[in-house]
Amino acid sequence: MNAVVTENSLRSPDGLRHDWRLAEVEELFELPFLDLLFRAQQVHRAHHTPNTVQMSTLLSIKTGACPEDCGYCPQSIHYETGVAREAMMPLADVVEAARKAKEAGATRFCMGAAYRSPKQKDIEQISHMIREVRSLGLETCATLGMLSPEQARDLKDAGLDYYNHNVDSSEEYYKKIISTRTYQHRLDTLEAVRNADLKVCSGGIVGMGETRTDRAGMLVTLANLPEHPQSVPINQLVQVKGTPLHGGEGVDSFEFIRTIAVARIVMPKAQVRLSAGRQEMSDETQALAFLAGASSIFYGEKLLTTGNPDVERDRALLARLKIAPETAHQTQARSACG
Ligand code: SAM
Ligand code: DTB
Ligand code: SF4
């Protein structure tokens, strides 16, 4: 069967497909570039407000010395990357960073911690942060590694909106990048997060030396979850000296854009985020990513430990493209619809 004709068939009760086959998704990747972008933009306009981008700001609330060996990550204790180990940030500093992010125009605040999995006392401390950040009128997101079902429920009770936990690549390629946990561990946490009624933020990294089949496989995993993630970050690998993936070939920029377009087509309602790697991208590549269906960015000078375009560059880019930042009101109205 041809993906071009079957895309609208076989829908589940949520009206979305969860039965994508690898071959179909590979066919999408193989479309002529302009056909792929045209289709992605059609899907985008059927489900999202055009010319609008949601902005999330990241903060590393606990940095470095992570016991996991993710081959891309500057925060792993296994690699010499020069990232200094830092204890949990005090509550007041987190709230201050969130206040500034809101003032600059972000509508979601994402708190990241370099954990394999958090301890109960960490969940309690972070629950305070979530309550305070939420009371500023921001959506909240956290990314803290693996969670038990109870921890996911505790975070929900604290008012957390989204939990970020990426599948990062295909199941086959994942084994080559990380040895300290399995793909199934990731899927188990995503299940705990879904069952706690938290919104799922899950995506991956492009440019780690994976094949197109791996990129398609990653999108099949995400699209065939029982519910599509509400948010799908697509990161371009930020090569950090000292990590095993430093010095790799990277990915062709059109292939990166194709990945965004296919994500948009197979997960029509998801917020597809043009995530890490923007600092290294031209304005033109970013504009193509928006055309391909990216509807969100990380906003602010820093990701977790690496750089992101400064606020002035982003404001100027959005103004040149006449793309409006999503307002807090629009973000909340969209989230209320699921
Ligand atoms: N420790 C938690 C975990 O792994 O889920 C949360 C923080 S971790 C830094 C969050 C995500 O950042 C990873 O899953 C990965 O997708 C992304 N990431 C880490 N290093 C990256 C890099 N150098 N380039 C692009 N994305 C990266
Ligand atoms: C995601 O997918 N990308 C963000 C967020 N989720 C937590 C993290 C990107 C990290 C890039 C490397 C760094 O700054 O340390
Ligand atoms: Fe730790 Fe997350 Fe980095 Fe992996 S990606 S080393 S789990 S902080």
Side-chain angles (χ1 to χ4, degrees), residues 316-327:
L317 175 63
L318 297 184
R320 282 165 74 205
L321 299 176
K322 291 204 176 172
I323 290 177
E326 190 174 270
T327 62

Side-chain angles (χ1 to χ4, degrees), residues 264-294:
R264 165 52 64 230
I265 292 168
V266 300
M267 291 171 279
K269 292 191 180 171
Q271 194 99 58
V272 174
R273 182 167 314 108
L274 172 60
S275 301
R278 284 199 306 116
Q279 199 172 37
E280 292 75 26
M281 272 173 219
S282 68
D283 289 352
E284 291 76 9
T285 302
Q286 295 187 59
L288 278 178
F290 297 132
L291 189 63

Side-chain angles (χ1 to χ4, degrees), residues 37-308:
L37 258 63
F38 180 63
R39 288 190 49 184
Q41 183 61 206
Q42 281 178 313
V43 172
H44 185 70
R45 282 175 186 252
H47 296 279
H48 301 266
T49 312
N51 305 307
T52 305
V53 161
Q54 184 274 334
M55 306 203 295
S56 295
T57 292
L58 274 171
L59 178 70
S60 182
I61 58 169
K62 188 264 159 203
T63 307
C66 181
E68 303 273 27
D69 68 354
C70 312
Y72 45 76
C73 186
Q75 301 198 67
S76 166
I77 203 162
H78 300 268
Y79 318 124
E80 287 287 330
T81 63
V83 168
R85 169 190 202 141
E86 284 170 35
M88 180 83 88
M89 208 182 236
L91 175 65
D93 294 1
V94 174
V95 175
E96 180 56 14
R99 201 189 52 71
K100 284 195 180 137
K102 185 176 181 191
E103 213 172 76
T107 60
R108 190 182 307 165
F109 192 68
C110 182
M111 292 162 271
Y115 294 133
R116 172 176 166 80
S117 53
K119 301 198 169 50
Q120 207 45 39
K121 73 165 187 356
D122 304 322
I123 294 284
E124 283 162 23
Q125 266 183 293
I126 294 165
S127 294
H128 287 302
M129 296 175 185
I130 292 166
R131 287 200 176 89
E132 295 280 330
V133 171
R134 209 160 190 261
S135 72
L136 298 175
L138 283 160
E139 283 193 319
T140 53
C141 175
T143 181
L144 317 170
M146 292 187 264
L147 293 185
S148 68
E150 297 70 37
Q151 290 177 323
R153 286 196 292 271
D154 288 349
L155 293 172
K156 174 76 185 176
D157 289 344
L160 185 69
D161 296 297
Y162 288 81
Y163 195 75
N164 166 250
H165 201 66
N166 293 340
V167 299
D168 278 329
S169 196
S170 67
E171 181 160 17
E172 296 72 28
Y173 201 67
Y174 197 79
K175 298 184 187 77
K176 301 192 179 146
I177 302 293
I178 298 150
S179 76
T180 48
R181 59 166 189 260
T182 65
Y183 211 61
Q184 190 57 47
H185 282 127
R186 293 309 260 188
L187 298 176
D188 291 347
T189 292
L190 289 177
E191 186 178 9
V193 168
R194 249 189 339 266
N195 288 345
D197 207 20
L198 287 162
K199 294 195 175 84
V200 170
C201 171
S202 188
I205 308 180
V206 178
M208 300 192 289
E210 75 286 343
T211 62
R212 178 178 271 188
T213 302
D214 291 314
R215 290 186 279 277
M218 170 178 92
L219 296 179
V220 168
T221 299
L222 294 169
N224 289 353
L225 289 170
E227 282 175 53
H228 291 172
Q230 282 79 6
S231 181
V232 179
I234 304 292
N235 298 276
Q236 179 171 285
L237 175 69
V238 179
Q239 295 204 3
V240 179
K241 211 163 163 209
T243 60
L245 293 185
H246 180 253
E249 235 183 61
V251 67
D252 171 58
S253 53
F254 295 129
E255 184 66 13
F256 179 77
I257 299 297
R258 280 179 185 276
T259 310
I260 293 199
V262 175
R264 165 52 64 230
I265 292 168
V266 300
M267 291 171 279
K269 292 191 180 171
Q271 194 99 58
V272 174
R273 182 167 314 108
L274 172 60
S275 301
R278 284 199 306 116
Q279 199 172 37
E280 292 75 26
M281 272 173 219
S282 68
D283 289 352
E284 291 76 9
T285 302
Q286 295 187 59
L288 278 178
F290 297 132
L291 189 63
S295 55
S296 167
I297 56 172
F298 282 124
Y299 178 66
E301 279 74 14
K302 216 168 170 197
L303 292 165
L304 291 173
T305 65
T306 65
N308 198 42

